[in-house]
Amino acid sequence: MATSASISASNPAAETIAVVAFDGISPFHLSVPCMVFGEDRTETGAPRFRMRVCAPEPGPLQTNAGFTLVVPHGLEAIRRAQIVVVPSWRDDGRPAPPALIRALQAAHKRGATVVGLCLGAFVLAEAGLLDGRPATTHWHLAPAFAKQYPKVKLQPEVLYVDDGDVLTSAGTAAGIDCCLHLLRVRYGAETANRAARRMVVAPHRQGGQAQYIQQPVPATAERDRLAPLLEWLGEHLDVPHELDGLARRALMSRRTFTRRFRESTGTTVGQWIQNQRLALAQRLLETTDHPVERVATGAGFGSAVSLRKHFLSAFKVSPTVYRRQFSRAEEVA
C-alpha cells in the first residue's frame, strides 16, 4: 500500500473535484467521495471543495436502488477538475463510453489526480492509466481484472493503492479509506481525522482485503477482548511494548494473541503500532511547534534519527519538510 505526503501547498485555492456518475450506479458508491469532499466543514477549519457530479450521458440516471438522479454536469466538468473520481462501474464488463475514456486521459495528461474506487479501477485500466502501475479493485472481480488488464500490477490484497497521480481502491467501504487518505495527503492528518469523526468512521484502517474475504466479521468475543487493548495502546504510543506483555494484558497466550490480532486488524502487532505512531507524528508535526526530537519521543520513536528513517520510508518526505509543506498550505488556505 503506497502512501505519500505531498501536500498541495502549490494549489491553495479551492480544488474542483469531478465525480463521474452513470446509469445504474450504486448510491452508496456515489456518496463516498461526495461525503468526504463535498460536505461543508469550513467551521472546523477544513478546506472547501467545489464538487461537480457529472455523467457521460444526459438526462436522469437510474440507480440500482430504484430511484433516479438528476446530474447537473456533463463530462466538461472533468476539464476543470484537479481531482477526478470514478466511484464505481458496471459489474457486467461493459466498456466505458469513449468520451469518458478520452476525458480521463486528457485530465491525467494535464496533471489531474485520477481516482478509481472499487470497479472504477476497470475504467482507469481501460483508459490505459494503470499500465505498468500498481492498482487494486474489488476482490470478487480481481481475477477478471487481472485477465483483462495483464499490464497492470494488480494488488488484490490491499484496501487502496496510491501511486501518486493515480489512486485505486478495493470494494465498497475501502473507497472511504482511499478518499480519506487522499484528503490526508493533500491537507494533513488532522483534516482527514475531522472528516472521519463527522462521518463516524475510522480515520485510517489497517490491513487489507484478505481479512474481509476470509473473515468478513471477526467474532464478537475477539473484538470485545481486543478493543480495550487497542484503545490503551493508542494512548501509550510513547513507550515501548513487548509482545508477551500485550498478550498478558489481553488475557491470551502469545500465539493466540498474534493470530487474533491479525484476524481483527489485518496486520501484525508491530506494524499496527508503527502505523499508529506515524499517524501521531503527523498530528504532532501539524498541530504543535515541538522540535522534531520531542515529536519523535512523544510518538514513541525514541530519537529524531529513528523518526526520520521511518517517516521517510512511509511518506517519502522528512518530518521537517512535511511540517514546512503543511504550514505553507495552512498559511495560504
Side-chain angles (χ1 to χ4, degrees), residues 10-318:
S10 61
N11 187 19
E15 293 190 285
T16 297
I17 301 178
V19 181
V20 179
F22 55 89
D23 200 51
I25 194 171
S26 156
F28 177 85
H29 286 120
L30 179 60
S31 73
V32 166
C34 294
M35 289 184 67
V36 174
F37 298 107
E39 291 193 0
D40 186 352
R41 306 185 188 94
T42 50
E43 79 281 358
T44 68
R48 187 74 171 109
F49 300 97
R50 290 188 294 265
M51 288 293 300
R52 300 290 186 265
V53 178
C54 60
E57 56 266 276
L61 303 178
Q62 291 292 327
T63 70
N64 66 2
F67 59 86
T68 60
L69 296 170
V70 177
V71 177
H73 302 285
L75 294 180
E76 72 280 354
I78 293 178
R79 293 199 296 267
R80 297 183 294 274
Q82 286 77 47
I83 299 173
V84 182
V85 182
V86 183
S88 185
W89 195 246
R90 303 178 177 98
D91 57 8
D92 58 4
R94 194 184 321 176
L100 175 57
I101 295 298
R102 290 193 297 270
L104 293 173
Q105 292 169 336
H108 180 257
K109 186 175 182 180
R110 66 173 168 77
T113 297
V114 184
V115 183
L117 304 178
C118 193
L119 301 186
F122 277 78
V123 182
L124 271 59
E126 186 180 348
L129 304 184
L130 301 179
D131 287 354
R133 309 180 73 159
T136 192
T137 190
H138 194 290
W139 65 266
H140 184 64
L141 289 180
F145 184 99
K147 183 177 180 180
Q148 191 169 351
Y149 300 108
K151 294 181 180 179
V152 181
K153 299 175 182 178
L154 185 64
Q155 299 181 357
E157 73 281 1
V158 301
L159 293 178
Y160 61 86
V161 173
D162 176 355
D163 197 39
D165 55 354
V166 176
L167 293 84
T168 51
S169 86
T172 317
I176 299 176
D177 297 303
C178 185
C179 288
L180 285 173
H181 165 77
L182 183 58
L183 186 62
R184 184 185 309 114
V185 164
R186 296 175 92 91
Y187 291 95
E190 190 56 34
T191 295
N193 290 348
R194 284 196 295 260
R197 284 195 294 270
R198 286 281 289 267
M199 296 169 63
V200 197
V201 298
H204 187 206
R205 288 194 299 164
Q206 311 299 335
Q209 296 190 69
Q211 60 181 310
Y212 307 110
I213 299 168
Q214 300 299 329
Q215 184 175 321
V217 181
T220 302
E222 292 178 13
R223 290 204 312 274
D224 290 346
R225 291 176 70 178
L226 284 177
L229 175 67
L230 295 179
E231 183 176 355
W232 180 84
L233 272 174
E235 296 170 353
H236 296 82
L237 294 170
D238 58 329
V239 297
H241 297 287
E242 294 184 355
L243 191 56
D244 288 333
L246 295 176
R248 285 194 298 271
R249 178 175 283 273
L251 303 178
M252 300 178 190
S253 69
R254 178 186 176 116
R255 182 176 180 180
T256 299
F257 174 67
T258 55
R259 174 173 57 84
R260 291 185 176 174
F261 194 98
R262 180 178 282 278
E263 289 172 350
S264 181
T265 67
T267 190
T268 65
V269 178
Q271 190 60 55
W272 188 91
I273 293 174
Q274 178 88 320
N275 290 338
Q276 296 301 310
R277 284 173 170 161
L278 285 168
L280 176 56
Q282 283 182 299
R283 294 197 298 273
L284 292 174
L285 290 167
E286 294 171 17
T287 60
T288 75
D289 57 1
H290 298 333
V292 172
E293 187 71 42
R294 185 174 172 185
V295 170
T297 55
F301 287 97
S303 69
V305 172
S306 178
L307 172 61
R308 289 189 187 99
K309 174 185 174 183
H310 294 292
F311 208 90
L312 266 170
S313 176
F315 304 120
K316 314 306 180 204
V317 68
S318 72

